[in-house]
Amino acid sequence: MSSAEVQWLTTRSAEDAVREVTELFASEFGGESSGGSGGTNAQPEGVWSAPGRVNLIGEHVDYAGGISVPFALSQRTYVAARANGTNDYRVASLFDGEVSRTTVGLDEIGPGNPSDWSGYVVGTIWAAIEAGVLPAQGLDLAIVSDVPVGAGLSSSAALECSAGVAAAETGGVELEEANRTALMNAAIRAENEVVGASTGGLDQRISLFGQEGHALAIDFAEDSTKQVPFAIAERGLAVLIMNTNAPHSLADGQYASRRAVIDGVTEDLGVSSLRYAEDAEAQSQRWAANNVPEGTDPEEWAATVAKRVRHVVSEIDRTAKAIEQLEAGDMEAFGESMQASHASLRDDYEVTVPQLDVAVDVAMAQGALGARMTGGGFGGSAIALIDADRVETTAQAVADAFAEHGFAAPEFVVALPSDGARRDR
């Protein structure tokens, strides 16, 4: 049997991305000045970008007062922006060779509108204006991105945060820590309320606060962060992202249904996080008995609730230990934690799909220290911590396995810890 073709995702250099988004801006808005008077200024006021992310460990616990350890990718979304002297947001986005355009008035933005891709952009700006962080001014915005859509690498947060920092500096707001935090909260509100895709805030935080060569340990109960060294290249290691190209969506009720269980049990136990409850799994049965969905067998439902709680409690504990492993440089132990995380997501939280499980199993068979799904699940990507010289052979083995199973061809990229949202021009 011949080997399957390995598809590698390409990433623009920052210079190429800035040039491309500036050209898009000029072609879409170049005949008009910032005052809207029909001048000939073809240049944006600047170009800003924000990264996607990959989560090393701590999955589906951000909304449960847990701990997560993501890092920012070198793949980024770029926004060229300029004030247009109106109350309208004119947005042009280049995606897959096609330009999508929309114009939205500030008074049109709010909960549930716009609910398409543009809601991530203008919803973040609207929420920041509502919070008193940004001035209420219309903008022209051009967008290009290297963050794969549907891969579980948080293309939405990259879009939100790049638009947020562009609107901030265009409006004279500095990107110091307090304002970044405010933009993070605005992006979370946009995703939850405007677009209607539930998020716990992990993606937005790392997109704004990532640091090159580091992962970011986020404790959501304590609202604290610390940078964790993750200079894997110095150890001859790499993180291989394996985009399964399986269908991926967080807005179809699967994410929300699991979060509803965790939120319900947490409230019933009277704690801020299940990590603070004594024997949360056993105690969850009271809530389960009182909240059996119509048409569901009570015993099966009770077992499901117990599994959901077990994942959250074990993942929080596992992530706390994983941070210590990373700080100690014990990559083998960290790899074992990655494996245990994937097993819990597969068996207890039930958010993997066959493509994710195959990718993880094949990577481990190729000698990975650890591998797991990353992101919301139900499609998207898996990651493998492997020797750098095993990247290509591992990708080939996964591609071959997908072909044998009749899955869509996967895509691959090597992940490098990068900086958070920034101004590029």
Side-chain angles (χ1 to χ4, degrees):
M1 180 178 176
S2 60
S3 295
E5 181 181 356
V6 177
Q7 299 182 17
W8 292 93
L9 292 169
T10 57
T11 301
R12 299 172 181 86
S13 67
E15 294 78 9
D16 286 345
V18 168
R19 182 176 64 253
E20 186 169 349
V21 77
T22 301
E23 290 172 352
L24 176 64
F25 186 95
S27 67
E28 295 290 323
F29 311 116
E32 300 173 38
S33 71
S34 60
S37 58
T40 59
N41 178 19
Q43 293 299 309
E45 293 181 31
V47 175
W48 295 261
S49 67
R53 65 92 188 95
V54 65
N55 193 27
L56 285 171
I57 195 165
E59 213 70 74
H60 279 286
V61 296
D62 54 341
Y63 51 81
I67 310 169
S68 301
V69 189
F71 68 83
L73 298 175
S74 53
Q75 289 74 28
R76 309 177 72 86
T77 295
Y78 293 80
V79 173
R82 183 179 68 195
N84 61 25
T86 74
N87 288 322
D88 292 337
Y89 296 92
R90 303 190 305 174
V91 187
S93 177
L94 176 63
F95 177 73
D96 200 23
E98 299 286 336
V99 178
S100 297
R101 303 173 180 88
T102 188
T103 298
V104 185
L106 178 58
D107 59 355
E108 300 176 68
I109 308 168
N113 188 63
S115 59
D116 61 7
W117 64 270
S118 65
Y120 296 112
V121 179
V122 299
T124 299
I125 299 170
W126 165 80
I129 293 171
E130 289 271 296
V133 180
L134 299 184
Q137 64 170 1
L139 296 168
D140 293 337
L141 303 156
I143 302 165
V144 300
S145 182
D146 284 326
V147 184
V149 175
L153 302 177
S154 200
S155 58
S156 57
L159 190 56
E160 293 155 4
C161 296
S162 56
V165 295
E169 289 205 332
T170 302
V173 178
E174 295 183 0
L175 297 179
E176 43 88 16
E177 183 173 354
N179 288 332
R180 283 178 181 263
T181 299
L183 290 173
M184 175 190 75
N185 291 327
I188 293 169
R189 187 180 180 195
E191 192 152 336
N192 285 336
E193 296 184 26
V194 179
V195 182
S198 188
T199 180
L202 179 155
D203 302 343
Q204 294 80 8
R205 190 181 294 262
I206 184 60
S207 190
L208 282 157
F209 291 98
Q211 189 175 111
E212 184 178 1
H214 293 76
L216 185 68
I218 307 171
D219 190 316
F220 291 92
E222 297 182 1
D223 193 26
S224 65
T225 62
K226 66 175 178 178
Q227 298 288 343
V228 179
F230 195 59
I232 52 175
E234 296 177 5
R235 298 176 176 272
L237 299 173
V239 170
L240 178 66
I241 298 177
M242 303 169 283
N243 176 15
T244 65
N245 278 318
H248 175 80
S249 174
L250 298 184
D252 63 359
Q254 294 282 6
Y255 180 110
S257 68
R258 281 154 179 77
R259 181 166 182 172
V261 169
I262 301 305
D263 289 349
V265 173
T266 302
E267 182 179 2
D268 182 65
L269 296 182
V271 292
S272 59
S273 170
L274 295 179
R275 66 199 280 192
Y276 302 131
E278 185 175 344
D279 200 1
E281 183 180 335
Q283 290 199 67
S284 70
Q285 297 305 283
R286 179 178 64 234
W287 181 87
N290 292 328
N291 294 273
V292 181
E294 185 177 351
T296 303
D297 179 79
E299 290 188 4
E300 292 182 3
W301 172 246
T304 295
V305 170
K307 289 196 297 183
R308 303 293 187 257
V309 171
R310 183 163 62 241
H311 166 72
V312 167
V313 173
S314 67
E315 184 78 348
I316 294 172
D317 180 64
R318 186 162 39 244
T319 303
K321 291 185 173 69
I323 293 168
E324 296 176 356
Q325 292 161 353
L326 286 174
E327 290 177 328
D330 191 345
M331 305 308 271
E332 289 189 1
F334 177 72
E336 292 173 0
S337 293
M338 292 176 69
Q339 279 297 103
S341 174
H342 183 80
S344 181
L345 289 158
R346 180 191 63 214
D347 301 334
D348 287 342
Y349 226 56
E350 298 179 291
V351 294
T352 72
V353 292
Q355 292 94 326
L356 289 167
D357 295 333
V358 167
V360 167
D361 291 344
V362 171
M364 291 304 299
Q366 289 294 312
L369 294 179
R372 59 182 292 276
M373 61 150 276
T374 187
F378 307 108
S381 294
I383 58 173
L385 180 64
I386 59 176
D387 288 338
D389 60 7
R390 298 287 299 172
V391 165
E392 293 188 5
T393 55
T394 300
Q396 184 66 67
V398 172
D400 289 345
F402 271 48
E404 291 171 11
H405 282 80
F407 298 153
E411 296 172 312
F412 303 90
V413 68
V414 175
L416 299 173
S418 183
D419 287 325
R422 68 192 184 204
R423 184 169 189 151
D424 290 273
R425 202 204 83 174

